[in-house]
Every structure is written in C-alpha cells, then in structure tokens.
Amino acid sequence: MKYLKNFYKYRFLLYEIVRKNIKLQYRNSVLGVFWTFLQPLLTTLVLVVVFGGVFGADRSYTVNYPIYLLCGRLIYEFFSQSTKRAMRSINNSASVIKKVYVPKYIYPLSNVLANFVTFLISLLVLVCFIVFYYFFTDKQPVINAHVLLAFVPIVILLILCVGVGLILSTLAVFFKDIEYLYEVFCMLLFYLTPIFYHVDQLNLPSKIFRYALMGNPLYSITEMFRSCVLYGEMFNMNHLLYSLGFSLATVLIGLYVFYKKQDKFILHI
Amino acid sequence: MSKPAIVVENMSMMFNLNKEKVDNLKEYFIKLVTRKLHFTEFWALKDISFTVEKGERVGVLGFNGAGKSTLLKVIAGVLKPTEGSVKVNGVIAPMLELGAGFDLNYSGRENIFLYGATMGYSRKFIEEKYDEIVEFSELGDFIEVPVKNYSSGMRARLGFAIATAVEPEILILDEVLSVGDAKFRQKSEAKVRSMFGKGTTVLFVSHSTQQVLNICNKAIILDHGKLIAQGDAKEICAKYNEMVKGK
C-alpha cells in the first residue's frame, strides 16, 4: 500500500523520464523518429538477403520468410535494447540518485517503457510488410481473427523485460563487468533464438539441444507472436504458460533483489 | 503542541572504505577466495540525536569532513542510516546541489518539468508555477536553449528557482545561498527569508557564522561525525568561532 502510494506520487516522474528518453533518442538526427522504422527495415533486408536462400527456401517452415524474420527481430531487438538500457540506468542517473530521494526502480522501469513505445511504433513496419505480402504477392501470411491476440505475447515480453531490467540494473551497480558480459550474451541470444531459422530446420545432434533452445522464453514469445500475425492460428498453450510463468518469476526475483539492495546503490555509484 | 518536524534518534552512518575499489567480478572472487576483501569501517556520523521543532531554523556548523552533508542526505532520505532512526514530518525540499536532476540535452523549459517531477511534484502543479520559475530565474529567452549551453550561474539560478517555487514545510540548504552574482544572491536570500514568515523549518549548512546568525535561531556543531554542541544560534556560533581559533 505504501509502495503504491509512493508510485502514485512519482507517476509523473516516470512519465517525464519515458518522454525524455524517447525525445532525446533521435534528437539532432535528420530523420528523427523515422529511424524507428528504418532500422528494423534495413537490418531485416540484409538478413533476408543473407539467410533467405538457406532458411527461407522451404515455405513449409516459415510461411513467409521476411515476415517470419521481422517478427523475431523486432521482439529480439526490443528485449536486448530495453534490458541493456535498463541495466545502465542506475549508473547513468547517479548524479540524481546521490542528491535527491527518488524511488530508484523508476529508472530501469522508465527505460524499458521508453523502448516499449519505440517498439510499438516499429510494429508499423510489420503492418506494412503484412499488407504488402498479403495484397501483392502469392506468399501470403495467414491473417484472421487471431491477429487480435497479438497483444498477449507483447505484454508477456514487456513483463519479462521489466524483470530482467531490474535484475541487471542491480547487478550492474555492483559489478561493472556485467555490462560487457551481457553484450556477449545478447549476441549469443540472437543466434540461439529462432529469429532467422526454424527449430525444425536445424540438424541438431540430440534432443537435449532442442529442449535447450525451446527453454528460451524469447522462443515461446516469438512463436506465439508468429502464430497470431503469420500462421493465423491459436498459439500453443504451453508456450503461453511457460513464458508467462517465466516472466512473472523474473519480475518477482527482480523486485526482491532490487528492494534488498537499493539502499546500497548510493555507496557504489 | 504539534509534532516536531525532524526527530533524529541515535543515528549513525557507516561507510565501508575499501582501499581499492573492487568493481569487477574477477577481482571480487579472487579477493573473496584469498580473503583479502578488507573493508575499513568509517563512521561518518556517530550516535547523533536531536529534534527540530516546526518553524525552527537550525544552522549546521562544522569543519570540512565533519559529516554535515551526510547528515543532510540522511534527513533528505537519500542515504539510509546504518543505525538509529530519522523521522520527518512534512514535505522536504532538498537543495543539496542545485540542478542535480538536470538533463544537459534538455532545454530549460523541459528541465523545469523534469526537475519538478524528480522532486515529486505533479505536472499540473509545475504548470501553475512555470511562469513564476522562469521569471525568478531571470533566464528570459534562454529558457528554450539546451542546459548544456548554460553558464554555471544560469544553471544554479534555474535550480534555485525550481526548488523554491514550492512552499515546502522543511527546507534543506547546503551552502546554496552563494549562487549567482551579488544581485541574485540578495534575491535568493530574500526569497528564503520570505519562507521563514510562513513557518518553514530550515536546516542550513554554512561555513560562515555570519550567515548562520543572519538566518538561524538555533545551531548545532558537528565534529568528526559527533554532535558536540547544540543550542541557541548566538552561543553556538561563539563557540564555533573559538574552535576555529583554537585549531
């Protein structure tokens, strides 16, 4: 109750920092907010050119390779960007935290939320892709009422990012190394998440590897998202339960670690 | 009798002074395993107790490193005391360092809202006070310029204007009455004085006993983290002056 009241008092600060992060991200760049579209568009084009021939040739796996890839990339990009920024948020706000009392979770939270807004904007690229392939090509994505459920994986993804952001921001205060370690981890994650390939296309030596790949919550979230906007089917309930459980657990751990350690932040930043 | 504004009870603040800063995992583990993780305990404040009644204006005197700023930070809620407790009744306006919440890439106008939000005010409230803040800061057209292009005096003026736009119940001043040119200094002193009339409780840190005498009616002296004297401002200032001479 006390926490809720405090959150209510500082909701405007949350809003201001989210706004600041979005505004400053593209300030002074000529194309400004268009980069939110251009960046996923350009990187997806490159990936389609490079991997399209190998993984995109067989349509029984991916239905429509560019859309398949874009779904994975958008989700991965939001996850990695928001958690990276949340991780640095406490250290970056050191000057404020040292001088004024503010609820510190505002910083990782607002960074994730700011990235969430740009993520939502970048979904427009996906809409353009879908419209283009639906009307002008024969590689049509299956679009039906299930598309309305696309918000479910997005919400789960947001919860996951908040949880991971809280944990990482706490760790980064005490160990700077985490920042570099996490860069490497994110790069591995890009290849280990079925973004530009389908799990069945891999020639895995053992079932264990397959389960390891599927244990990645980003896998379940991406697959759920693709079910909604590409395959036109109900998503797998196991994916839903697994990713939701995983995300909620991450948030709980994140909150616990953060609250336990937040009074020590100031001694280390 | 209303509740006192600030009650500090047996409060101590300890820092770990580690000789080398261990901030990466490898070093941490090596030192943990080889048991070389030594910390030197440093008590910045030791067993401090005092009470400030509503409307009292307390000067905090002490040499460099006596723990003045630490004390204010604990009262402002930035630091959590290692032992003891601090109870505060009322809205605090901490003015520990003016402009600490500024974002350099943001313009003055945007920073007014950001800084206000950092201090926990609502958007509506800041909008109401906006004109007053701009006027008091004397920034004029510069309000649309990014703060990174401000001079340090302009920055301090803006910070002071935002921080004093509210009418806080408790005002914490850490050597901030020395910002800007002489004209602005007079103006800011006048502003702070006008708050006294409204029954604002003030904690004021300064090295100048003259300033303390001007502003405060009570005072305390800190020395090496201990509270060594408290009482009437005149007595305490005289005592502090003796300490300075004796050193």
Side-chain angles (χ1 to χ4, degrees):
Chain A
M1 197 53 218
K2 201 179 88 197
Y3 294 124
L4 281 180
K5 221 171 140 190
N6 207 17
F7 177 75
Y8 186 72
K9 185 182 169 198
Y10 281 96
R11 70 195 187 287
F12 177 49
L13 175 63
L14 183 66
Y15 167 79
E16 275 294 321
I17 298 179
V18 170
R19 216 169 77 126
K20 183 187 87 171
N21 285 340
I22 298 169
K23 269 172 106 174
L24 290 183
Q25 190 173 6
Y26 296 110
R27 183 167 280 190
N28 296 331
S29 67
V30 181
L31 293 175
V33 77
F34 279 104
W35 280 115
T36 344
F37 310 109
L38 274 179
Q39 210 213 7
L41 187 68
L42 294 176
T43 47
T44 305
L45 282 180
V46 172
L47 287 171
V48 168
V49 170
V50 175
F51 295 115
V54 185
F55 295 109
D58 189 348
R59 278 177 53 198
S60 61
Y61 290 118
T62 55
V63 185
N64 176 314
Y65 191 65
I67 296 182
Y68 181 90
L69 204 152
L70 187 60
C71 288
R73 235 205 70 86
L74 286 173
I75 286 175
Y76 165 81
E77 194 66 14
F78 168 53
F79 177 82
S80 69
Q81 288 301 326
S82 64
T83 48
K84 271 180 207 168
R85 285 185 42 182
M87 173 174 67
R88 299 199 186 96
S89 61
I90 298 286
N91 282 324
N92 286 349
S93 330
S95 62
V96 181
I97 291 173
K98 277 183 182 170
K99 305 285 157 48
V100 194
Y101 167 78
V102 274
K104 294 168 197 59
Y105 63 84
I106 293 264
Y107 291 100
L109 185 63
S110 61
N111 275 287
V112 172
L113 287 179
N115 265 73
F116 186 63
V117 174
T118 43
F119 167 69
L120 290 182
I121 298 173
S122 66
L123 283 182
L124 281 176
V125 179
L126 182 65
V127 174
C128 295
F129 264 57
I130 290 172
V131 169
F132 175 78
Y133 280 100
Y134 194 80
F135 288 107
F136 299 105
T137 66
D138 57 345
K139 289 194 274 179
Q140 287 179 343
V142 188
I143 296 298
N144 52 34
H146 286 112
V147 84
L148 298 173
L149 283 175
F151 75 90
V152 177
I154 292 178
V155 169
I156 296 175
L157 179 64
L158 179 63
I159 299 172
L160 179 70
C161 291
V162 171
V164 175
L166 283 173
I167 297 174
L168 285 174
S169 60
T170 312
L171 286 175
V173 170
F174 300 100
F175 299 111
K176 269 264 153 48
D177 296 41
I178 289 288
E179 289 186 15
Y180 305 101
L181 206 62
Y182 191 64
E183 288 284 339
V184 179
F185 175 80
C186 275
M187 209 185 67
L188 287 178
L189 194 67
F190 180 76
Y191 292 100
L192 293 178
T193 310
I195 293 170
F196 56 86
Y197 58 86
H198 192 278
V199 188
D200 293 337
Q201 285 175 313
L202 296 181
N203 198 2
L204 292 170
S206 151
K207 278 224 150 175
I208 298 168
F209 289 103
R210 199 185 148 84
Y211 289 131
L213 277 182
M214 290 164 90
N216 173 359
L218 282 187
Y219 167 76
S220 337
I221 292 170
T222 320
E223 276 303 305
M224 283 166 70
F225 190 60
R226 283 171 182 152
S227 297
C228 299
V229 302
L230 181 59
Y231 311 147
E233 58 187 33
M234 188 60 204
F235 40 69
N236 186 329
M237 276 301 147
N238 290 336
H239 284 166
L240 175 70
L241 292 177
Y242 177 71
S243 58
L244 187 62
F246 194 99
S247 305
L248 289 177
T250 318
V251 167
L252 287 181
I253 295 171
L255 284 174
Y256 178 77
V257 177
F258 198 87
Y259 272 97
K260 191 116 191 164
K261 290 288 177 192
Q262 63 172 352
D263 293 327
K264 297 225 160 73
F265 284 179
I266 190 167
L267 307 174
H268 292 264
I269 50 179
Chain B
M1 190 74 200
S2 61
K3 276 195 282 183
I6 304 168
V7 182
V8 180
E9 264 172 30
N10 304 93
M11 189 267 286
S12 299
M13 187 73 218
M14 186 198 73
F15 293 103
N16 283 325
L17 289 184
N18 31 350
K19 291 197 178 84
E20 318 117 272
K21 210 172 173 227
V22 184
D23 56 2
N24 67 56
L25 276 171
K26 193 185 102 197
E27 265 181 54
Y28 185 81
F29 280 118
I30 291 174
K31 295 217 162 139
L32 196 69
V33 171
T34 57
R35 291 178 187 280
K36 274 187 185 157
L37 207 61
H38 291 304
F39 292 112
T40 319
E41 287 187 358
F42 172 70
W43 293 87
L45 293 170
K46 188 82 187 152
D47 207 16
I48 306 275
S49 302
F50 66 92
T51 307
V52 181
E53 299 293 338
K54 281 218 164 88
E56 273 185 343
R57 305 186 296 276
V58 180
V60 182
L61 292 161
F63 300 119
N64 282 334
K68 303 186 295 289
S69 293
T70 310
L71 176 67
L72 294 194
K73 279 185 179 174
V74 174
I75 291 171
V78 177
L79 284 170
K80 203 165 187 174
T82 319
E83 285 167 15
S85 71
V86 174
K87 283 197 198 77
V88 174
N89 299 306
V91 181
I92 291 194
M95 283 203 263
L96 298 172
E97 201 158 313
L98 294 172
F102 285 167
D103 191 292
L104 296 184
N105 288 311
Y106 244 26
S107 74
R109 172 201 292 280
E110 290 165 318
N111 264 310
I112 290 180
F113 286 96
L114 180 66
Y115 194 63
T118 309
M119 305 210 299
Y121 307 138
S122 72
R123 184 172 190 89
K124 210 177 129 225
F125 181 82
I126 302 168
E127 268 164 4
E128 278 167 23
K129 296 279 181 184
Y130 179 79
D131 290 329
E132 193 185 311
I133 294 170
V134 177
E135 198 197 335
F136 192 84
S137 67
E138 300 173 4
L139 282 169
D141 293 339
F142 283 102
I143 205 74
E144 301 292 349
V145 173
V147 167
K148 63 180 168 192
N149 299 335
Y150 280 21
S151 72
S152 54
M154 287 160 89
R155 238 175 258 183
R157 260 150 49 197
L158 184 60
F160 187 88
I162 303 171
T164 51
V166 276
E167 271 143 29
E169 287 157 36
I170 302 164
L171 190 63
I172 296 182
L173 300 166
D174 190 357
E175 298 174 72
V176 290
L177 287 183
S178 46
V179 297
D181 49 25
K183 200 172 123 241
F184 191 79
R185 200 150 58 221
Q186 271 180 4
K187 196 170 151 186
S188 51
E189 257 194 70
K191 174 90 183 183
V192 171
R193 262 169 208 291
S194 78
M195 289 181 165
F196 298 166
K198 292 164 191 151
T200 307
T201 311
V202 180
L203 271 183
F204 178 62
V205 164
S206 179
H207 286 289
S208 142
T209 47
Q210 194 54 48
Q211 256 185 336
V212 170
L213 280 174
N214 277 342
I215 287 177
C216 304
N217 54 5
K218 291 227 167 152
I220 58 177
I221 302 180
L222 288 177
D223 190 35
H224 293 104
K226 293 198 180 73
L227 184 69
I228 53 170
Q230 57 178 322
D232 188 65
K234 268 182 202 154
E235 272 171 46
I236 298 295
C237 282
K239 195 168 174 186
Y240 182 73
N241 282 333
E242 265 170 47
M243 273 172 67
V244 175
K245 273 177 208 154
K247 217 176 182 185

